[in-house]
Amino acid sequence: MFWVPRDAVRGGVRKAVVGGWEDLPAREDAVGIRAGDPIFLSPDFQVDPLLSLYVQSRPFNRYTVETKRNYSTDIALLLTALWARGKSWPDVTSKDLEDYEDWRRFAPANPDRIGGSKWDRELSAIMSLYSWAKKAGYLTRNPVLMKQVVGRNGETVMVPEQRADDARSSNVHWLTPRAWRRWIDVGLRGHTREGTVEPGWVGRLEDRNVAFVRTLVSSGLRLGEGGSLLTFEVPKRRLGGGRYYRGKVASEVTRSKKQRTYYVASEAIGDVESYVASSRAWAVRKAQKAGRYDRLPEMWMLLEVTRGLKPKVRWCDQSGVIGERELNLLTWQERMLLFEEGPHGPEPLWLWLNERGLPFEPDSWESVFRTANKRCERILTPPEHLRKDPHQVFAPYATPHAARHSFALFMLVVLNHLMDQRYGLTPEERRDFRLLYGDPWFMVQNLLGHASRDTTVKHYLAPVADLQLRAMLTTAEDRIEAPMPELDAVFARVARESEGIQDIDDRMQPAAGDSA
């Protein structure tokens, strides 16, 4: 499987072109192939015209970039399996799909069996392809068999018969605030178990990585949302400005395609400002001296960002053509093209840069988290336990989405704390407060940008829903008089009484003198 590169790359950056194909970009445009489209190539180097039509179809083009990538990969797996059996995908029967599911999920001979959740995603990709082919008239019947079930609100809905019964609705991970501090110190800052920097630690872009993780943890932004921020979209700290600052997430980079407000901790903003003034500025200056920005195949030089309810971005490209688009509607790929004129030349408006001074793509953060997780495991796990019993965990494990989960947990506890202790509300007053402002679940729902309160409760916070947080927060032993960051004792109790919440216990506890 191949992916059509960006228009600028298609337009002349290729170092060599096969004879007779110099007009390849024009040919691709003529048949509707666009940048970012997948191209499926069979083992005998043939391109299936129907698959090409599918990836150009309206249903496929409405998917997010992440969904397109996932679905294309899942379909390629099915095509490979069918090829091995001498079958073409339009000739597939329901029995073939049952055999494929058996191999993917249950066959002892398959060393890479998958679970129910992963199978359901693959089934969605398969159903998308065959539903389109049936509706477009290329197939007489859809091999994906359907059945009727009763939906959440009592309505009748159709679902695939092969949908997994053991699929988990979400893969949720939490870390308490002090567990995050430990993970950041060890994984990103190179600390040892004793809390000192490991000899020989280089700390490449350490300030950038710490600033990004703290931004996600304190704001609840998704990876694509936080990873595609522009420099002027980050709130600026003000003297006496408070603990949290407010920003806006552009609709095009959100999953719901709706703009929303986010709140980020003052400390995280300070980390971002330090990064911008230090390693980011250094990387930009090096790129300018090396002429990297001058050699970019595509660049949009910022002219103006308008004010008002719907701010617009105006730019001039390398050909002198003026462009304009609503800030909310810029894709993350387009945001990477935005530059401004600095004192020493062009400077990217994309906030997060790599060491070469070029935009750091959102998906690349996954490797930063993987590296930090491996380091935490190496440093915090005693050598005699390394790579053995998986139930004996000595190090915190984090993912970009775990930052969002942890933010939701943190806000639930803090909002309950504010309503019960800080405001001193009686049960009657709390009921009136809920009627006026909504309960903490509703507030967290808005912070996360969920369309449904049920999503917030079921997928993110269900494991702590029955812990009677109000009673916990008001018990004598956990009565907290300090500000919000000092709620570690409360989170420790939540972690002890809930499954899946990572906290620092005796095994992860740093040595004396460690501030984590």
Side-chain angles (χ1 to χ4, degrees):
M1 189 171 62
F2 299 88
W3 297 88
V4 179
R6 296 198 313 271
D7 292 337
V9 179
R10 291 194 302 144
V13 179
R14 291 187 176 101
K15 295 181 179 180
V17 179
V18 177
W21 288 86
E22 294 82 2
D23 61 343
L24 177 60
R27 295 192 192 187
E28 291 174 339
D29 291 337
V31 296
I33 294 177
R34 296 176 295 185
D37 284 348
I39 297 177
F40 297 93
L41 191 67
S42 67
D44 62 352
F45 308 106
Q46 298 296 312
V47 175
D48 188 321
L50 286 186
L51 287 174
S52 298
L53 289 176
Y54 166 66
V55 300
Q56 297 169 39
S57 67
R58 186 170 181 269
F60 188 85
N61 283 323
R62 290 172 66 91
Y63 295 144
T64 64
V65 173
E66 181 181 7
T67 301
K68 286 181 179 180
R69 182 178 65 250
N70 291 337
Y71 276 23
S72 299
T73 303
D74 295 339
I75 290 172
L77 287 173
L78 173 65
L79 297 176
T80 302
L82 293 175
W83 181 273
R85 300 181 65 178
K87 278 217 166 189
S88 175
W89 70 269
D91 302 324
V92 164
T93 65
S94 301
K95 179 63 167 60
D96 293 323
L97 292 184
E98 290 175 1
D99 292 343
Y100 181 65
E101 178 192 7
D102 182 73
W103 169 256
R104 293 290 287 150
R105 299 188 61 202
F106 309 114
N110 183 1
D112 297 313
R113 293 189 296 273
I114 61 175
S117 298
K118 177 63 167 64
W119 168 251
D120 278 356
R121 194 193 78 180
E122 293 190 12
L123 185 59
S124 296
I126 295 169
M127 186 170 63
S128 172
L129 171 63
Y130 283 104
S131 296
W132 165 82
K134 172 66 169 59
K135 187 175 181 180
Y138 299 115
L139 296 180
T140 57
R141 61 184 297 274
N142 189 338
V144 181
L145 300 180
M146 308 294 287
K147 65 178 180 181
Q148 288 186 346
V149 298
V150 178
R152 180 181 302 171
N153 300 317
E155 75 280 15
T156 301
V157 295
M158 300 295 294
V159 299
E161 283 189 5
Q162 288 180 261
R163 189 173 65 169
D165 296 327
D166 60 342
R168 291 187 297 174
S169 57
S170 60
N171 188 19
V172 184
H173 299 282
W174 295 267
L175 282 79
T176 64
R178 65 178 180 175
W180 273 112
R181 294 196 294 270
R182 187 69 167 151
W183 186 86
I184 288 172
D185 284 346
V186 176
L188 301 180
R189 286 179 162 165
H191 286 195
T192 64
R193 186 180 181 86
E194 289 72 32
T196 60
V197 177
E198 186 177 35
W201 170 254
V202 178
R204 294 171 52 199
L205 292 174
E206 174 184 317
D207 58 344
R208 182 202 67 178
N209 298 340
V210 171
F212 179 76
V213 171
R214 283 187 166 174
T215 297
L216 290 194
V217 173
S218 72
S219 67
L221 291 173
R222 292 184 175 91
L223 175 62
E225 296 167 348
S228 60
L229 288 172
L230 302 176
T231 53
F232 60 79
E233 291 179 311
V234 180
K236 302 298 182 185
R237 286 199 300 179
R238 304 181 306 275
L239 195 61
R243 189 181 298 277
Y244 279 85
Y245 287 85
R246 182 176 63 184
K248 291 285 187 181
V249 184
S251 58
E252 187 60 33
V253 300
T254 67
R255 182 171 294 178
S256 63
K257 302 304 178 186
K258 294 180 181 179
Q259 184 189 56
R260 79 172 191 276
T261 299
Y262 72 93
Y263 292 85
V264 60
S266 174
E267 292 82 359
I269 295 297
D271 291 333
V272 173
E273 291 175 350
S274 297
Y275 157 64
V276 169
S278 55
S279 67
R280 186 184 189 278
W282 180 68
V284 168
R285 190 72 186 102
K286 281 206 313 179
Q288 290 170 336
K289 290 181 177 180
R292 292 193 188 103
Y293 301 145
D294 298 328
R295 296 193 298 269
L296 289 177
E298 194 170 9
M299 177 192 294
W300 295 353
M301 189 62 67
L302 181 71
L303 299 176
E304 178 188 17
V305 180
T306 66
R307 303 287 182 177
L309 294 177
K310 295 183 177 181
K312 293 183 178 180
V313 177
R314 296 182 66 246
W315 67 83
C316 179
D317 68 15
Q318 292 151 309
S319 301
V321 178
I322 304 297
E324 180 180 284
R325 188 162 304 162
E326 189 178 326
L327 177 61
N328 259 333
L329 302 182
L330 288 172
T331 65
W332 67 267
Q333 294 93 335
E334 292 169 333
R335 288 167 162 259
M336 293 175 65
L337 303 176
L338 288 172
F339 282 70
E340 65 179 342
E341 192 63 48
H344 302 289
E347 297 183 2
L349 283 170
W350 186 270
L351 176 60
W352 312 107
L353 306 180
N354 61 26
E355 289 178 299
R356 303 181 71 242
L358 301 175
F360 194 67
E361 294 193 9
D363 288 344
S364 299
W365 285 107
E366 299 281 2
S367 63
V368 174
F369 276 76
R370 282 195 299 269
T371 301
N373 284 326
K374 290 179 180 178
R375 189 173 195 285
C376 284
E377 183 180 14
R378 176 176 64 85
I379 295 297
L380 298 177
T381 303
E384 64 271 19
H385 292 284
L386 195 62
R387 303 186 184 280
K388 292 184 179 177
D389 186 355
H391 302 291
Q392 288 189 290
V393 180
F394 297 88
Y397 176 87
T399 65
H401 214 59
R404 181 169 164 83
H405 301 157
S406 301
F407 165 80
L409 172 67
F410 174 78
M411 292 308 299
L412 176 68
V413 173
V414 168
L415 290 171
N416 273 280
H417 170 69
L418 290 175
M419 293 179 69
D420 285 344
Q421 277 195 311
R422 192 162 179 175
Y423 293 158
L425 301 182
T426 66
E428 293 76 17
E429 291 170 334
R430 194 172 200 220
R431 181 197 60 198
D432 295 338
F433 188 93
R434 281 173 169 167
L435 291 174
L436 184 60
Y437 298 107
D439 64 10
W441 296 91
F442 175 76
M443 297 177 190
V444 174
Q445 172 196 336
N446 286 334
L447 288 170
L448 293 173
H450 286 160
S452 167
R453 182 181 185 274
D454 290 344
T455 301
T456 308
V457 176
K458 181 178 179 182
H459 295 335
Y460 285 77
L461 306 175
V464 296
D466 59 346
L467 293 181
Q468 298 180 337
L469 290 171
R470 179 184 177 187
M472 288 173 48
L473 289 167
T474 55
T475 56
E477 63 173 316
D478 281 338
R479 187 174 297 278
I480 305 296
E481 302 296 339
M484 286 184 290
E486 284 69 47
L487 287 174
D488 283 346
V490 180
F491 283 102
R493 184 168 181 178
V494 173
R496 286 196 303 268
E497 300 187 22
S498 305
E499 183 178 352
I501 300 178
Q502 300 177 55
D503 190 32
I504 297 176
D505 57 17
D506 292 339
R507 294 169 300 176
M508 294 186 193
Q509 195 67 38
D514 191 348
S515 61

